[in-house]
Amino acid sequence: MLLRRQVLARSQKQKSVTPTPPSQLDRFDEANSARLGLICVQERIPEDYTRWDIEFLVDDRPSRLTCISPGEYGGVPHGLDGDFATILNVMYLEQGAPESGIVHTTAYQMLQRAGFPDSGQYYQSLQESLDRLKAATYTASESWRDHKRQRWTTVKFNIIERITAETQDGLGFGSGTTLKIQLARPVVESIREKYLKPLDMSFVLSLKRSLTRSLYRVLDAHRYQPSMTAEAAAEFRINLQQWARECKLRETVPARIKRNLESAHKELVERGYLTSVEYEGSRADTVIIYTFGDLPATTPAPEPVIEVVPDAPVTDALRRYGVAPTVARNLVSEFGESLVTQRLEKFEAMLKSGYQARKKSALLVDIIRDQGGKYADPEGYQVEPQRSEANLQAATVAKRMEAEEAQLNHRLQEEFRLLDHSEQAARALTQVRMFVGREVSERTLKTLLSAMTSEQVEPYEVYRAVTRAASELRLADFAHELRYAYGD
């Protein structure tokens, strides 16, 4: 019954989202975890499913991956655990990928970011998932990529090393629960070394079932080399029983494997991510063949079989002003079409009244996100009455999230300022190197460091600026500003 409610809630929340072309993806996940498929794709598992162990080849060398998880925590990580594990990696990146490996968040924010409603059952699911991710022990033998040294290594870890939770009422998670989550060291090092794969987060959140989302993540990981510029594969073929092992299914009979994955295959085809799922051979020699449907065609494409619903008109309007496609979709998803439309009209009225914008796209995004009355209404501008209720609801949610973000930022700032000044400058420079190190010269970075160590520039402001630029997809603008201020 719980699973049925989860599916229903997800389908009610679903947006008309189609897969983003690979060349336009601007969110990323840690590549080792994605490639190895650490989370069982099944939504429910037997009570005694507390261990899995698979063997495979990596660069023609024998490798092995094992998971052992206590039965009292619900067995091996599965189902919704994959959603929360992915969100933690995304949030860690957005918070600047600190060396500590710690993600500061709240239970409410995690549910919102994962696309789940603010309800007791989902707070319970979140708590159970985090406990499972903390309890399960993984051993990757000669199969974990050390990106810095360009070699395969053996690591043993728990996806979450430590959880600190402050709850307001009782022992269970609720909307007021604050979380401090320390990620596994191997995962942290991979992210900081930029061993990443593209992630279509908007599309993930739009999928109805956790089975489909889990299968999508494992399948998508096989399409990409962990490089920000790699091209995606158009087709993926694999032995069916090997595929079942990589999805961490207990089934070994081909007919049962097909049946277990059938509903996820159907949804991914209906949504346009796949054009087909086919099988060749029989019994143990059965091969499953996935053909992907979201790649741009180099020759005239056939008439699409699946009719997809386009983005909301306001999304296209935002893009015409230079807002990146993913940012535009996220704004509409977060604040609602009505509020975004109203803010767009306000923005256009401001321009007509003579407001000078250095960069229109940045101003527009700031106006949409503004909840403090930063921008006065231009003369003669009025909000249409029929939008007021929707605006109020969206603004209430936004204010709540804004207040929680401010609280987390204050905590991060306090921890940062406990460091001595030279360490602050070094940490800020590390963040800048990580995000825009390839876009600015070494001389520019040295000049920036000199400005911070001589106290001409506050290190924390640099640290926050580059982190915010990363979360708002403005790293190109940030790099330009650095070159202008500190370059030749």
Side-chain angles (χ1 to χ4, degrees):
M1 188 66 182
L2 174 61
L3 175 62
R4 186 175 179 180
R5 289 199 299 269
Q6 291 173 341
V7 172
L8 178 60
R10 193 86 186 200
S11 63
Q12 290 173 338
K13 189 178 181 69
Q14 181 184 8
K15 304 289 184 181
S16 297
V17 178
T18 56
T20 301
S23 61
Q24 296 179 23
L25 292 178
D26 45 25
R27 282 288 188 270
F28 299 91
D29 193 11
E30 194 275 313
N32 276 306
S33 302
R35 177 179 51 80
L36 293 173
L38 302 180
I39 311 297
C40 169
V41 304
Q42 291 177 240
E43 292 167 332
R44 291 174 293 180
I45 62 174
E47 293 182 359
D48 64 345
Y49 192 12
T50 59
R51 177 187 179 123
W52 49 255
D53 193 334
I54 64 171
E55 295 181 355
F56 48 96
L57 294 178
V58 174
D59 290 345
D60 296 325
R61 295 171 54 189
S63 303
R64 188 171 184 173
L65 181 65
T66 303
C67 174
I68 302 175
S69 186
E72 57 264 35
Y73 288 101
V76 298
H78 62 279
L80 300 186
D81 303 350
D83 294 307
F84 295 125
T86 300
I87 287 299
L88 281 173
N89 285 346
V90 171
M91 295 180 77
Y92 173 68
L93 263 169
E94 291 178 350
Q95 292 180 15
E99 198 276 337
S100 65
I102 292 175
V103 176
H104 295 272
T105 185
T106 67
Y108 175 78
Q109 281 187 324
M110 286 205 66
L111 290 186
Q112 289 292 304
R113 296 296 301 274
F116 298 121
D118 180 12
S119 68
Q121 87 178 56
Y122 282 99
Y123 284 113
Q124 180 180 346
S125 295
L126 171 62
Q127 188 168 4
E128 291 172 354
S129 286
L130 296 183
D131 285 343
R132 238 182 333 265
L133 296 173
K134 170 69 175 67
T137 300
Y138 294 87
T139 304
S141 302
E142 293 299 312
S143 55
W144 190 272
R145 188 66 174 172
D146 183 334
H147 189 51
K148 185 176 182 179
R149 297 174 177 82
Q150 294 293 301
R151 65 184 184 185
W152 298 102
T153 61
T154 296
V155 296
K156 188 172 184 178
F157 63 96
N158 305 78
I159 293 178
I160 294 177
E161 290 189 357
R162 183 177 180 181
I163 305 171
T164 302
E166 297 180 7
T167 58
Q168 293 181 338
D169 302 309
L171 300 177
F173 283 10
S175 60
T177 302
T178 60
L179 298 168
K180 185 177 179 181
I181 300 173
Q182 186 170 11
L183 301 181
R185 197 68 215 163
V187 174
V188 167
E189 291 173 352
S190 286
I191 292 176
R192 288 174 60 83
E193 292 165 6
K194 295 188 179 181
Y195 192 56
L196 308 170
K197 68 163 289 290
L199 176 66
D200 191 347
M201 198 65 209
S202 297
F203 185 68
V204 172
L205 293 176
S206 76
L207 297 171
K208 295 179 182 179
R209 298 185 58 177
S210 66
L211 171 65
T212 312
R213 297 190 298 276
S214 297
L215 182 65
Y216 166 82
R217 283 188 289 259
V218 178
L219 184 57
D220 205 56
H222 284 75
R223 302 181 65 195
Y224 295 98
Q225 293 297 320
S227 165
M228 298 174 68
T229 59
E231 294 183 357
E235 183 183 274
F236 174 60
R237 304 167 64 99
I238 189 171
N239 176 274
L240 182 59
Q241 292 183 331
Q242 176 62 29
W243 185 233
R245 288 190 289 272
E246 296 207 17
C247 292
K248 312 309 180 288
L249 300 177
R250 298 187 83 178
E251 296 290 354
T252 58
V253 179
R256 293 178 180 175
I257 298 171
K258 294 178 184 179
R259 188 162 55 247
N260 282 345
L261 299 178
E262 183 178 9
S263 63
H265 289 161
K266 181 180 178 181
E267 185 176 1
L268 290 174
V269 170
E270 288 175 347
R271 299 300 304 284
Y273 177 72
L274 298 173
T275 56
S276 66
V277 180
E278 299 175 337
Y279 300 93
E280 288 183 357
S282 60
R283 300 186 180 181
D285 295 326
T286 301
V287 173
I288 186 169
I289 307 165
Y290 292 103
T291 303
F292 299 101
D294 60 343
L295 290 172
T298 54
T299 57
E303 191 69 23
V305 177
I306 301 165
E307 182 179 355
V308 295
V309 181
D311 288 331
V314 69
T315 305
D316 291 333
L318 297 182
R319 294 172 66 175
R320 285 196 295 272
Y321 282 107
V323 179
T326 304
V327 175
R329 295 187 192 104
N330 289 344
L331 288 171
V332 174
S333 176
E334 181 178 352
F335 295 100
E337 185 177 352
S338 179
L339 178 63
V340 173
T341 300
Q342 179 247 306
R343 295 296 174 85
L344 172 63
E345 292 173 352
K346 177 177 178 176
F347 163 78
E348 291 175 335
M350 289 171 60
L351 294 183
K352 289 180 180 179
S353 68
Y355 192 99
Q356 297 297 314
R358 179 183 175 188
K359 186 171 183 180
K360 291 181 180 180
S361 60
L363 173 63
L364 177 53
V365 171
D366 202 36
I367 290 173
I368 294 171
R369 292 187 178 279
D370 175 40
Q371 300 299 327
K374 179 178 178 181
Y375 300 95
D377 291 344
E379 186 176 353
Y381 170 76
Q382 291 183 342
V383 180
E384 294 182 20
Q386 61 265 36
R387 292 190 185 142
S388 59
E389 183 177 346
N391 292 348
L392 178 62
Q393 183 180 5
T396 300
V397 173
K399 285 182 179 179
R400 181 175 181 178
M401 295 183 71
E402 188 177 89
E404 291 181 349
E405 183 180 2
Q407 182 182 8
L408 292 173
N409 287 341
H410 179 69
R411 184 178 301 174
L412 287 170
Q413 182 175 0
E414 287 182 337
E415 293 181 358
F416 190 92
R417 295 191 186 283
L418 289 176
L419 304 171
D420 61 53
H421 191 79
S422 61
E423 177 62 22
Q424 290 181 25
R427 181 165 297 189
L429 189 69
T430 297
Q431 293 300 102
V432 173
R433 282 186 186 278
M434 176 176 177
F435 286 110
V436 296
R438 294 182 180 180
E439 285 73 40
V440 297
S441 68
E442 188 64 27
R443 180 170 180 172
T444 297
L445 293 175
K446 289 181 178 179
T447 305
L448 172 62
L449 178 61
S450 176
M452 289 189 292
T453 54
S454 63
E455 302 187 8
Q456 298 176 35
V457 179
E458 178 62 40
Y460 182 74
E461 296 304 319
V462 175
Y463 180 91
R464 284 294 300 151
V466 69
T467 303
R468 183 177 295 277
S471 66
E472 295 177 357
L473 310 180
R474 295 187 298 100
L475 286 175
D477 292 341
F478 181 82
H480 174 75
E481 292 169 2
L482 279 185
R483 290 192 296 268
Y484 180 79
Y486 303 104
D488 297 336

